[in-house]
Coordinates of all heavy atoms in Angstrom, one line a residue:
M1001 N -41.8 15.0 16.5 CA -42.4 14.6 15.2 C -43.5 13.6 15.5 O -43.3 12.4 15.7 CB -41.3 13.8 14.4 CG -40.1 14.7 14.0 SD -39.1 13.7 12.9 CE -38.7 14.9 11.7
S1002 N -44.6 14.1 15.4 CA -45.8 13.2 15.7 C -46.7 13.1 14.5 O -46.9 14.1 13.8 CB -46.6 13.8 16.9 OG -47.1 15.0 16.5
G1003 N -47.0 11.9 14.2 CA -48.0 11.6 13.1 C -47.3 11.6 11.7 O -48.0 11.2 10.8
G1004 N -46.1 12.0 11.5 CA -45.5 12.0 10.2 C -45.0 10.6 9.8 O -44.8 9.7 10.7
S1005 N -44.7 10.4 8.6 CA -44.2 9.1 8.2 C -42.7 9.0 8.5 O -42.0 10.0 8.4 CB -44.4 8.9 6.7 OG -43.6 9.9 5.9
A1006 N -42.3 7.9 8.9 CA -40.9 7.7 9.3 C -40.0 7.6 8.1 O -40.3 7.0 7.1 CB -40.7 6.4 10.2
L1007 N -38.9 8.3 8.1 CA -38.0 8.3 7.0 C -37.0 7.2 7.1 O -36.4 6.7 6.1 CB -37.2 9.6 6.9 CG -38.1 10.9 6.6 CD1 -37.2 12.1 6.7 CD2 -38.7 10.7 5.2
F1008 N -36.7 6.8 8.4 CA -35.7 5.7 8.6 C -36.3 4.7 9.5 O -37.2 4.9 10.3 CB -34.4 6.3 9.3 CG -33.8 7.4 8.5 CD1 -33.9 8.7 8.8 CD2 -33.0 7.1 7.4 CE1 -33.3 9.7 8.1 CE2 -32.4 8.1 6.6 CZ -32.6 9.4 7.0
G1009 N -35.7 3.4 9.4 CA -36.2 2.4 10.3 C -37.0 1.3 9.6 O -37.2 1.3 8.4
L1010 N -37.5 0.4 10.4 CA -38.3 -0.7 9.9 C -39.6 -0.3 9.3 O -40.1 -0.9 8.3 CB -38.5 -1.7 11.0 CG -37.2 -2.4 11.5 CD1 -37.5 -3.4 12.6 CD2 -36.5 -3.2 10.3
K1011 N -40.2 0.8 9.8 CA -41.4 1.3 9.3 C -41.3 1.8 7.9 O -42.1 1.5 7.0 CB -42.0 2.4 10.2 CG -43.4 2.8 9.9 CD -43.9 3.7 11.0 CE -45.3 4.0 10.8 NZ -45.8 4.9 11.8
A1012 N -40.2 2.4 7.6 CA -39.9 2.9 6.2 C -39.7 1.8 5.3 O -40.1 1.8 4.1 CB -38.7 3.8 6.2
L1013 N -39.0 0.7 5.7 CA -38.8 -0.5 4.9 C -40.1 -1.2 4.6 O -40.3 -1.8 3.6 CB -37.8 -1.4 5.5 CG -36.3 -0.9 5.5 CD1 -35.4 -1.9 6.2 CD2 -35.9 -0.6 4.1
R1014 N -41.0 -1.2 5.6 CA -42.3 -1.9 5.3 C -43.2 -1.1 4.3 O -43.9 -1.6 3.5 CB -43.1 -1.9 6.7 CG -42.6 -3.0 7.5 CD -43.5 -3.3 8.7 NE -42.8 -4.0 9.8 CZ -42.7 -3.6 11.0 NH1 -43.3 -2.5 11.4 NH2 -42.1 -4.3 11.9
Q1015 N -43.1 0.3 4.4 CA -43.8 1.1 3.5 C -43.2 1.1 2.1 O -43.9 1.1 1.1 CB -43.9 2.5 4.0 CG -44.8 2.6 5.3 CD -44.8 4.0 5.9 OE1 -44.0 4.8 5.5 NE2 -45.6 4.2 6.9
K1016 N -41.9 1.2 2.1 CA -41.2 1.3 0.8 C -40.3 0.0 0.6 O -39.1 0.0 0.8 CB -40.3 2.5 0.8 CG -41.1 3.8 0.8 CD -40.2 5.0 0.7 CE -41.0 6.2 0.5 NZ -41.5 7.0 1.5
W1017 N -40.9 -1.1 0.3 CA -40.3 -2.4 0.2 C -39.2 -2.4 -0.9 O -38.3 -3.3 -0.8 CB -41.3 -3.5 0.0 CG -42.2 -3.3 -1.2 CD1 -43.4 -2.6 -1.2 CD2 -41.9 -3.7 -2.5 NE1 -43.9 -2.6 -2.5 CE2 -43.0 -3.2 -3.3 CE3 -40.9 -4.3 -3.1 CZ2 -43.0 -3.4 -4.7 CZ3 -40.9 -4.5 -4.5 CH2 -42.0 -4.1 -5.2
E1018 N -39.2 -1.5 -1.8 CA -38.2 -1.5 -2.9 C -36.8 -1.1 -2.4 O -35.8 -1.3 -3.0 CB -38.6 -0.7 -4.1 CG -38.8 0.8 -3.7 CD -40.2 1.2 -3.3 OE1 -41.0 0.2 -3.1 OE2 -40.5 2.3 -3.1
L1019 N -36.8 -0.6 -1.1 CA -35.5 -0.2 -0.6 C -34.7 -1.4 0.1 O -33.6 -1.3 0.4 CB -35.7 0.9 0.5 CG -36.1 2.3 0.0 CD1 -36.3 3.2 1.1 CD2 -35.1 2.8 -1.0
I1020 N -35.4 -2.5 0.3 CA -34.8 -3.6 1.0 C -33.6 -4.2 0.3 O -32.6 -4.4 0.9 CB -35.9 -4.7 1.2 CG1 -36.9 -4.2 2.2 CG2 -35.3 -6.0 1.8 CD1 -38.1 -5.1 2.4
P1021 N -33.6 -4.4 -1.0 CA -32.3 -4.8 -1.7 C -31.2 -3.8 -1.5 O -30.0 -4.2 -1.3 CB -32.7 -5.0 -3.1 CG -34.2 -5.2 -3.1 CD -34.7 -4.4 -2.0
L1022 N -31.5 -2.6 -1.6 CA -30.5 -1.5 -1.5 C -29.8 -1.5 -0.1 O -28.6 -1.5 0.0 CB -31.1 -0.2 -1.8 CG -30.1 1.0 -1.7 CD1 -29.0 0.9 -2.7 CD2 -30.9 2.3 -1.8
V1023 N -30.7 -1.6 0.9 CA -30.2 -1.7 2.3 C -29.4 -3.0 2.5 O -28.3 -3.0 3.1 CB -31.4 -1.6 3.3 CG1 -30.9 -1.9 4.7 CG2 -32.0 -0.2 3.2
G1024 N -29.8 -4.1 1.9 CA -29.1 -5.3 2.1 C -27.7 -5.3 1.4 O -26.8 -5.8 2.0
I1025 N -27.7 -4.8 0.2 CA -26.4 -4.7 -0.5 C -25.4 -3.8 0.2 O -24.2 -4.1 0.4 CB -26.6 -4.3 -2.0 CG1 -27.4 -5.5 -2.7 CG2 -25.3 -4.0 -2.7 CD1 -27.8 -5.1 -4.1
L1026 N -25.9 -2.6 0.6 CA -25.0 -1.7 1.3 C -24.6 -2.2 2.6 O -23.4 -2.0 3.0 CB -25.7 -0.3 1.4 CG -25.8 0.5 0.1 CD1 -26.6 1.8 0.4 CD2 -24.5 0.8 -0.4
G1027 N -25.5 -2.9 3.3 CA -25.1 -3.4 4.6 C -24.0 -4.5 4.5 O -23.1 -4.6 5.2
T1028 N -24.2 -5.4 3.4 CA -23.2 -6.4 3.2 C -21.9 -5.8 2.8 O -20.8 -6.3 3.2 CB -23.7 -7.4 2.1 OG1 -25.0 -7.9 2.4 CG2 -22.8 -8.5 1.8
A1029 N -21.9 -4.8 2.0 CA -20.6 -4.1 1.6 C -19.9 -3.5 2.8 O -18.7 -3.6 2.9 CB -20.9 -3.1 0.5
C1030 N -20.6 -2.9 3.7 CA -20.0 -2.3 4.9 C -19.5 -3.3 5.8 O -18.4 -3.2 6.3 CB -21.1 -1.4 5.6 SG -21.5 0.1 4.7
I1031 N -20.2 -4.4 6.0 CA -19.7 -5.5 6.9 C -18.5 -6.1 6.2 O -17.5 -6.4 6.9 CB -20.8 -6.5 7.1 CG1 -21.9 -5.9 8.0 CG2 -20.3 -7.8 7.7 CD1 -23.1 -6.8 8.1
G1032 N -18.5 -6.3 4.9 CA -17.3 -6.9 4.2 C -16.1 -6.0 4.3 O -15.0 -6.5 4.6
A1033 N -16.2 -4.7 4.1 CA -15.1 -3.8 4.2 C -14.5 -3.8 5.6 O -13.3 -3.8 5.8 CB -15.5 -2.4 3.8
T1034 N -15.4 -3.8 6.6 CA -14.9 -3.8 8.0 C -14.2 -5.1 8.4 O -13.2 -5.1 9.0 CB -16.1 -3.6 9.0 OG1 -16.8 -2.4 8.6 CG2 -15.7 -3.5 10.4
A1035 N -14.8 -6.2 7.9 CA -14.1 -7.5 8.2 C -12.8 -7.6 7.5 O -11.8 -8.1 8.1 CB -15.0 -8.6 7.7
Y1036 N -12.6 -7.1 6.2 CA -11.4 -7.2 5.6 C -10.3 -6.3 6.2 O -9.2 -6.6 6.3 CB -11.5 -6.8 4.1 CG -10.2 -6.9 3.4 CD1 -9.6 -8.1 3.1 CD2 -9.4 -5.8 3.1 CE1 -8.4 -8.2 2.5 CE2 -8.2 -5.9 2.5 CZ -7.7 -7.1 2.2 OH -6.4 -7.2 1.6
S1037 N -10.8 -5.1 6.7 CA -9.8 -4.2 7.4 C -9.3 -4.9 8.7 O -8.1 -4.8 9.0 CB -10.6 -2.9 7.8 OG -11.0 -2.2 6.7
I1038 N -10.2 -5.5 9.4 CA -9.7 -6.2 10.6 C -8.8 -7.4 10.3 O -7.8 -7.6 10.9 CB -10.9 -6.7 11.5 CG1 -11.7 -5.5 12.0 CG2 -10.5 -7.7 12.6 CD1 -13.0 -5.8 12.6
Y1039 N -9.1 -8.1 9.2 CA -8.3 -9.2 8.7 C -6.9 -8.7 8.3 O -5.9 -9.3 8.7 CB -9.0 -9.9 7.6 CG -8.1 -10.9 6.8 CD1 -7.7 -12.1 7.3 CD2 -7.6 -10.5 5.5 CE1 -6.9 -12.9 6.6 CE2 -6.8 -11.3 4.8 CZ -6.4 -12.6 5.3 OH -5.6 -13.4 4.6
A1040 N -6.8 -7.6 7.6 CA -5.6 -7.1 7.1 C -4.7 -6.6 8.3 O -3.5 -6.9 8.3 CB -5.8 -5.9 6.1
V1041 N -5.3 -6.0 9.3 CA -4.5 -5.5 10.4 C -4.0 -6.7 11.2 O -2.8 -6.7 11.7 CB -5.3 -4.6 11.3 CG1 -4.7 -4.4 12.6 CG2 -5.6 -3.3 10.6
A1042 N -4.8 -7.8 11.3 CA -4.4 -8.9 12.1 C -3.4 -9.8 11.4 O -2.5 -10.4 12.1 CB -5.6 -9.7 12.5
T1043 N -3.4 -10.0 10.1 CA -2.6 -11.0 9.5 C -1.5 -10.5 8.5 O -0.5 -11.2 8.3 CB -3.5 -12.0 8.7 OG1 -4.2 -11.3 7.7 CG2 -4.5 -12.7 9.6
K1044 N -1.7 -9.3 8.0 CA -0.7 -8.9 7.0 C 0.6 -8.3 7.7 O 0.5 -7.6 8.6 CB -1.3 -7.8 6.1 CG -2.6 -8.2 5.4 CD -2.3 -9.3 4.3 CE -3.6 -9.6 3.6 NZ -3.4 -10.6 2.6
S1045 N 1.7 -8.7 7.1 CA 3.0 -8.2 7.8 C 3.3 -6.8 7.4 O 4.1 -6.1 8.0 CB 4.1 -9.1 7.4 OG 4.3 -9.1 6.0
D1046 N 2.8 -6.3 6.3 CA 3.1 -4.9 5.8 C 2.2 -3.9 6.4 O 2.5 -2.7 6.2 CB 3.1 -4.8 4.3 CG 1.8 -5.2 3.7 OD1 1.0 -5.8 4.4 OD2 1.5 -4.9 2.6
V1047 N 1.2 -4.3 7.2 CA 0.4 -3.3 7.9 C 0.9 -3.2 9.3 O 1.0 -4.1 10.1 CB -1.1 -3.8 8.0 CG1 -1.9 -2.9 8.7 CG2 -1.6 -4.0 6.6
R1048 N 1.3 -1.9 9.7 CA 1.9 -1.7 11.0 C 1.0 -0.7 11.7 O 0.7 0.4 11.3 CB 3.3 -1.1 10.9 CG 4.3 -2.0 10.3 CD 5.7 -1.6 10.5 NE 5.9 -0.2 10.2 CZ 7.1 0.4 10.3 NH1 8.1 -0.3 10.6 NH2 7.2 1.7 10.1
V1049 N 0.5 -1.1 12.9 CA -0.3 -0.3 13.7 C 0.5 0.4 14.7 O 0.4 1.6 15.0 CB -1.4 -1.1 14.4 CG1 -2.3 -0.3 15.3 CG2 -2.3 -1.8 13.4
N1050 N 1.5 -0.3 15.3 CA 2.4 0.3 16.3 C 3.7 0.7 15.6 O 4.5 -0.1 15.2 CB 2.7 -0.8 17.4 CG 3.5 -0.3 18.5 OD1 3.8 1.0 18.6 ND2 4.0 -1.1 19.3
K1051 N 3.8 2.1 15.4 CA 5.0 2.6 14.7 C 6.1 2.9 15.6 O 7.1 3.5 15.2 CB 4.6 3.8 13.9 CG 3.6 3.5 12.8 CD 3.5 4.6 11.9 CE 2.6 4.2 10.7 NZ 2.6 5.0 9.6
T1052 N 6.0 2.6 16.9 CA 7.1 2.8 17.8 C 8.3 1.9 17.5 O 9.4 2.3 17.8 CB 6.7 2.7 19.3 OG1 6.2 1.4 19.5 CG2 5.6 3.7 19.6
K1053 N 8.1 0.8 17.0 CA 9.1 -0.2 16.6 C 9.7 0.3 15.3 O 9.0 0.3 14.2 CB 8.6 -1.6 16.5 CG 9.6 -2.6 16.2 CD 9.0 -4.0 16.2 CE 10.1 -5.0 15.9 NZ 9.5 -6.3 15.8
A1054 N 10.9 0.8 15.3 CA 11.5 1.4 14.1 C 12.0 0.4 13.0 O 12.1 0.8 11.9 CB 12.7 2.3 14.5
V1055 N 12.3 -0.8 13.4 CA 12.8 -1.8 12.5 C 11.7 -2.5 11.8 O 10.8 -3.0 12.4 CB 13.7 -2.8 13.2 CG1 14.3 -3.8 12.3 CG2 14.8 -2.0 14.0
A1056 N 11.8 -2.5 10.5 CA 10.8 -3.3 9.7 C 11.0 -4.8 9.8 O 12.2 -5.2 10.1 CB 10.9 -2.9 8.2
P1057 N 10.0 -5.6 9.7 CA 10.2 -7.1 9.9 C 11.3 -7.7 8.9 O 12.0 -8.6 9.3 CB 8.9 -7.7 9.6 CG 7.9 -6.5 9.7 CD 8.7 -5.3 9.4
W1058 N 11.4 -7.2 7.7 CA 12.3 -7.7 6.8 C 13.7 -7.3 7.1 O 14.7 -7.9 6.5 CB 11.9 -7.4 5.3 CG 11.8 -5.9 5.1 CD1 12.8 -5.0 4.8 CD2 10.6 -5.2 5.2 NE1 12.2 -3.8 4.7 CE2 10.9 -3.8 4.9 CE3 9.3 -5.5 5.5 CZ2 9.9 -2.8 4.9 CZ3 8.3 -4.5 5.5 CH2 8.7 -3.2 5.2
E1059 N 13.9 -6.3 7.9 CA 15.3 -5.9 8.3 C 15.8 -6.9 9.4 O 17.0 -7.0 9.6 CB 15.3 -4.5 8.9 CG 14.9 -3.5 7.9 CD 16.0 -3.0 7.1 OE1 17.2 -3.2 7.5 OE2 15.8 -2.5 6.0
E1060 N 15.0 -7.6 10.1 CA 15.4 -8.5 11.1 C 15.8 -9.9 10.6 O 16.2 -10.8 11.4 CB 14.3 -8.6 12.2 CG 14.0 -7.3 12.9 CD 12.8 -7.4 13.8 OE1 12.2 -8.5 13.8 OE2 12.6 -6.5 14.6
V1061 N 15.7 -10.2 9.4 CA 16.0 -11.5 8.8 C 17.5 -11.7 8.8 O 18.2 -10.9 8.2 CB 15.4 -11.7 7.4 CG1 15.8 -13.0 6.8 CG2 13.9 -11.5 7.5
N1062 N 17.9 -12.8 9.3 CA 19.4 -13.1 9.3 C 19.7 -13.8 8.0 O 19.2 -14.9 7.7 CB 19.7 -14.0 10.5 CG 21.2 -14.3 10.7 OD1 22.0 -13.8 9.9 ND2 21.5 -15.1 11.7
P1063 N 20.6 -13.2 7.2 CA 20.9 -13.9 5.9 C 21.7 -15.2 6.0 O 21.8 -15.9 5.1 CB 21.8 -12.8 5.2 CG 22.3 -11.9 6.3 CD 21.3 -12.0 7.4
N1064 N 22.3 -15.4 7.2 CA 23.0 -16.7 7.4 C 22.2 -17.9 7.7 O 22.6 -19.0 7.8 CB 24.1 -16.5 8.5 CG 25.1 -15.4 8.1 OD1 25.5 -15.3 6.9 ND2 25.5 -14.7 9.0
V1065 N 20.9 -17.6 8.0 CA 20.0 -18.7 8.4 C 19.0 -19.0 7.2 O 18.4 -18.0 6.7 CB 19.2 -18.3 9.6 CG1 18.1 -19.4 10.0 CG2 20.1 -18.1 10.8
P1066 N 18.9 -20.2 6.7 CA 18.0 -20.4 5.6 C 16.6 -20.3 6.0 O 16.2 -20.7 7.1 CB 18.3 -21.9 5.2 CG 19.3 -22.4 6.2 CD 19.7 -21.3 7.1
Q1067 N 15.8 -19.6 5.2 CA 14.4 -19.4 5.5 C 13.5 -20.3 4.7 O 12.3 -20.3 5.0 CB 14.0 -17.9 5.1 CG 14.9 -16.9 5.8 CD 14.6 -16.8 7.3 OE1 13.4 -17.1 7.7 NE2 15.6 -16.6 8.1
K1068 N 14.0 -21.0 3.8 CA 13.2 -21.9 2.9 C 13.0 -23.2 3.6 O 13.7 -23.6 4.5 CB 13.8 -22.1 1.6 CG 13.9 -20.9 0.8 CD 14.6 -21.2 -0.6 CE 14.8 -20.0 -1.4 NZ 15.5 -20.3 -2.7
L1069 N 11.9 -23.9 3.2 CA 11.7 -25.3 3.7 C 12.7 -26.3 3.2 O 13.2 -27.1 3.9 CB 10.3 -25.7 3.4 CG 9.9 -27.1 3.9 CD1 9.9 -27.1 5.4 CD2 8.5 -27.4 3.4
L1070 N 13.1 -26.1 1.9 CA 14.0 -27.0 1.3 C 15.0 -26.1 0.4 O 14.5 -25.4 -0.5 CB 13.3 -28.0 0.4 CG 14.2 -29.0 -0.4 CD1 15.0 -29.9 0.6 CD2 13.3 -29.8 -1.3
T1071 N 16.3 -26.2 0.7 CA 17.3 -25.5 -0.1 C 18.3 -26.5 -0.6 O 18.9 -27.2 0.2 CB 18.0 -24.4 0.8 OG1 17.0 -23.6 1.4 CG2 18.9 -23.6 0.0
L1072 N 18.5 -26.5 -1.9 CA 19.5 -27.4 -2.5 C 20.7 -26.6 -3.1 O 20.5 -25.7 -3.8 CB 18.8 -28.1 -3.7 CG 17.7 -29.0 -3.3 CD1 17.0 -29.6 -4.5 CD2 18.1 -30.1 -2.3
N1073 N 21.9 -27.0 -2.6 CA 23.1 -26.4 -3.2 C 23.2 -24.9 -3.1 O 23.6 -24.3 -4.1 CB 23.4 -26.9 -4.6 CG 23.5 -28.4 -4.7 OD1 23.9 -29.1 -3.8 ND2 23.0 -28.9 -5.8
Q1074 N 22.8 -24.4 -2.0 CA 22.9 -22.9 -1.9 C 23.6 -22.6 -0.6 O 23.3 -23.1 0.5 CB 21.5 -22.3 -1.8 CG 21.5 -20.8 -1.8 CD 20.1 -20.2 -1.9 OE1 19.1 -20.9 -2.0 NE2 20.0 -18.9 -2.0
K1075 N 24.6 -21.7 -0.7 CA 25.4 -21.3 0.5 C 25.1 -19.9 0.8 O 25.0 -19.0 0.0 CB 26.9 -21.5 0.2 CG 27.3 -22.9 0.0 CD 28.8 -23.0 -0.3 CE 29.1 -24.5 -0.6 NZ 30.5 -24.6 -1.0
Y1076 N 24.8 -19.7 2.1 CA 24.5 -18.3 2.6 C 25.8 -17.7 3.1 O 26.5 -18.2 3.9 CB 23.5 -18.4 3.7 CG 22.2 -18.8 3.3 CD1 21.8 -20.1 3.4 CD2 21.3 -17.9 2.8 CE1 20.5 -20.5 2.9 CE2 20.0 -18.2 2.4 CZ 19.7 -19.6 2.5 OH 18.4 -19.9 2.1
A1077 N 26.2 -16.6 2.5 CA 27.4 -15.8 2.8 C 27.0 -14.3 2.9 O 26.1 -13.9 2.2 CB 28.5 -16.0 1.8
E1078 N 27.7 -13.6 3.8 CA 27.4 -12.2 3.9 C 28.0 -11.5 2.7 O 29.0 -11.8 2.1 CB 28.1 -11.6 5.1 CG 27.5 -12.1 6.4 CD 28.1 -11.5 7.6 OE1 28.9 -10.5 7.5 OE2 27.8 -11.9 8.7
N1079 N 27.3 -10.5 2.2 CA 27.7 -9.7 1.1 C 28.4 -8.5 1.6 O 27.9 -7.6 2.4 CB 26.4 -9.2 0.3 CG 26.8 -8.6 -1.0 OD1 27.9 -8.2 -1.2 ND2 25.8 -8.4 -1.8
A1080 N 29.7 -8.4 1.3 CA 30.6 -7.3 1.8 C 30.1 -5.9 1.4 O 30.1 -5.0 2.2 CB 32.0 -7.5 1.4
E1081 N 29.6 -5.8 0.1 CA 29.2 -4.5 -0.3 C 27.9 -4.1 0.4 O 27.7 -2.9 0.7 CB 28.9 -4.6 -1.8 CG 30.1 -4.8 -2.7 CD 29.8 -5.0 -4.2 OE1 28.6 -4.7 -4.5 OE2 30.7 -5.3 -4.9
L1082 N 27.0 -5.0 0.7 CA 25.8 -4.7 1.4 C 26.1 -4.3 2.8 O 25.5 -3.3 3.3 CB 24.8 -5.9 1.3 CG 23.5 -5.7 2.0 CD1 22.7 -4.6 1.3 CD2 22.7 -7.0 2.0
E1083 N 27.0 -5.0 3.5 CA 27.3 -4.6 4.8 C 28.0 -3.2 4.9 O 27.7 -2.5 5.8 CB 28.3 -5.7 5.4 CG 27.6 -7.0 5.7 CD 26.4 -6.9 6.6 OE1 26.4 -6.2 7.6 OE2 25.4 -7.6 6.3
A1084 N 28.9 -2.9 3.9 CA 29.5 -1.6 3.9 C 28.5 -0.5 3.7 O 28.5 0.5 4.3 CB 30.5 -1.6 2.8
L1085 N 27.5 -0.8 2.8 CA 26.4 0.2 2.5 C 25.6 0.4 3.8 O 25.2 1.5 4.1 CB 25.6 -0.3 1.4 CG 24.4 0.6 0.9 CD1 25.0 2.0 0.5 CD2 23.6 0.0 -0.1
R1086 N 25.3 -0.7 4.5 CA 24.5 -0.5 5.8 C 25.2 0.3 6.8 O 24.7 1.1 7.5 CB 24.2 -1.9 6.3 CG 23.1 -2.6 5.6 CD 22.7 -3.9 6.3 NE 21.6 -4.6 5.6 CZ 21.3 -5.8 5.7 NH1 22.0 -6.6 6.5 NH2 20.3 -6.3 5.0
K1087 N 26.6 0.1 6.9 CA 27.4 0.9 7.8 C 27.4 2.3 7.4 O 27.4 3.2 8.3 CB 28.8 0.3 7.9 CG 28.8 -1.0 8.7 CD 30.3 -1.5 8.7 CE 30.3 -2.9 9.4 NZ 31.6 -3.5 9.4
E1088 N 27.5 2.6 6.1 CA 27.5 4.0 5.6 C 26.2 4.7 5.8 O 26.2 5.8 6.3 CB 27.9 3.9 4.1 CG 28.0 5.3 3.5 CD 28.3 5.2 2.1 OE1 29.0 4.3 1.6 OE2 27.8 6.1 1.3
I1089 N 25.1 4.0 5.6 CA 23.8 4.6 5.7 C 23.4 4.7 7.2 O 22.8 5.7 7.6 CB 22.7 3.9 4.9 CG1 23.0 4.0 3.4 CG2 21.3 4.4 5.2 CD1 22.1 3.2 2.5
G1090 N 23.6 3.7 7.9 CA 23.2 3.6 9.3 C 21.8 3.1 9.3 O 21.2 2.7 8.3
S1091 N 21.2 3.0 10.5 CA 19.9 2.5 10.7 C 18.9 3.6 10.4 O 19.1 4.8 10.8 CB 19.6 1.9 12.0 OG 19.8 2.9 13.0
Y1092 N 17.8 3.3 9.8 CA 16.8 4.3 9.5 C 15.7 4.2 10.6 O 15.5 3.2 11.2 CB 16.1 4.1 8.1 CG 15.1 3.1 8.1 CD1 13.7 3.4 8.2 CD2 15.4 1.7 8.0 CE1 12.7 2.4 8.2 CE2 14.4 0.8 7.9 CZ 13.1 1.1 8.1 OH 12.1 0.2 8.0
K1093 N 15.1 5.4 10.9 CA 14.0 5.4 11.9 C 12.8 6.1 11.2 O 13.0 7.1 10.6 CB 14.4 6.1 13.1 CG 15.6 5.5 13.7 CD 15.6 5.6 15.2 CE 16.8 4.9 15.7 NZ 16.9 4.6 17.0
C1094 N 11.6 5.5 11.5 CA 10.4 6.1 10.9 C 10.0 7.4 11.6 O 10.1 7.5 12.8 CB 9.3 5.1 10.9 SG 9.6 3.7 9.8

């Protein structure tokens, strides 16, 4: 391609300056979407990348250990019906 006008690149933006806001907005949107995807994978507990671990994080919570910072007048006891149901169903695997 010799001598023709460039369709892409900085030369096209110099010739068609009205495209600069469009390129800026689309570039910002793409960078934001990529950054949020990386943030979600790194920090969210419901996003699982490694599916070899069959147990979900909420299944590993011990009901006998308080999880709150401050608990007033609350006793943790095992629920017999829930334990019976877990034994009947068994462990699930993804």
Side-chain angles (χ1 to χ4, degrees):
M1001 296 185 139
S1002 61
S1005 64
L1007 295 175
F1008 302 104
L1010 294 176
K1011 191 173 187 179
L1013 290 179
R1014 284 190 198 127
Q1015 291 174 353
K1016 296 182 168 88
W1017 55 268
E1018 62 270 6
L1019 293 177
I1020 293 174
L1022 178 65
V1023 170
I1025 291 170
L1026 286 177
T1028 303
C1030 290
I1031 289 171
T1034 304
Y1036 181 75
S1037 298
I1038 293 170
Y1039 165 76
V1041 167
T1043 61
K1044 304 291 183 181
S1045 63
D1046 59 342
V1047 178
R1048 294 195 318 182
V1049 178
N1050 184 8
K1051 292 191 177 194
T1052 58
K1053 185 177 179 184
V1055 179
W1058 54 87
E1059 295 276 337
E1060 296 175 352
V1061 175
N1062 186 359
N1064 296 324
V1065 176
Q1067 300 293 326
K1068 297 180 182 179
L1069 182 62
L1070 177 65
T1071 304
L1072 299 174
N1073 299 328
Q1074 185 174 3
K1075 295 180 182 176
Y1076 291 93
E1078 292 185 9
N1079 188 346
E1081 294 177 9
L1082 181 61
E1083 293 301 321
L1085 182 62
R1086 283 185 181 162
K1087 287 179 184 177
E1088 181 180 328
I1089 293 174
S1091 64
Y1092 80 96
K1093 301 214 178 193
C1094 293

